[in-house]
Amino acid sequence: MEIWINPACSKCRTATKALDEAGVTYTVRRYLDDPPTAAELTEVLARLNLEPWDLVRHNEPDAKPLRDLPRDAANRPAWIEAMVTHPILIQRPILTADDTTTAVARDPETLSRFLP
């Protein structure tokens, strides 16, 4: 299992604590230090069955230029590029299980799907 985290994020700390307490083996990716490529992000979006604008943290200052960007297929690459360039825009934590099940585990119910 892999988890994309920002160590400053309380939801990320909650998720890693729950995984640790459950004895789950996982790999941490500090995605602000090791941003995903456009291909990786595209793959994660496909696993999540989301569009890029659904995964953006719209309240971040770096999201301001995206406010007027249409949410359509033609602009999908621009949304993805914005998240690659400014990874702070990516919702977190993102968990990917060994079976490729992937979720943004911000709530206890979603997180529990990854626990034994």
Side-chain angles (χ1 to χ4, degrees):
M1 179 178 317
E2 182 175 78
I3 183 170
W4 291 8
I5 68 161
N6 172 353
C9 168
S10 63
K11 302 281 187 188
C12 294
R13 290 191 305 271
T14 297
T16 55
K17 182 179 178 188
L19 294 171
D20 290 342
E21 288 174 352
V24 174
T25 301
Y26 61 95
T27 302
V28 170
R29 181 168 185 174
R30 293 180 177 211
Y31 71 92
L32 297 179
D33 299 327
D34 181 16
T37 63
E40 288 173 316
L41 196 51
T42 299
E43 183 177 328
V44 164
L45 286 163
R47 288 181 188 166
L48 290 168
N49 197 28
L50 293 175
E51 291 295 340
W53 45 86
D54 298 324
L55 196 60
V56 166
R57 297 172 51 84
H58 293 276
N59 61 333
E60 292 290 336
D62 287 332
K64 188 175 181 179
L66 299 174
R67 289 188 185 132
D68 296 325
L69 189 63
R71 297 177 182 195
D72 59 19
N75 287 289
R76 197 172 195 274
W79 283 89
I80 291 170
E81 186 58 34
M83 288 189 283
V84 169
T85 304
H86 306 285
I88 193 72
L89 296 176
I90 302 170
Q91 288 286 350
R92 64 211 179 227
I94 297 175
L95 283 163
T96 301
D98 294 338
D99 67 0
T100 71
T101 299
T102 304
V104 180
R106 296 189 56 77
D107 60 86
E109 297 80 27
T110 303
L111 180 58
S112 70
R113 296 181 6 217
F114 293 85
L115 302 173

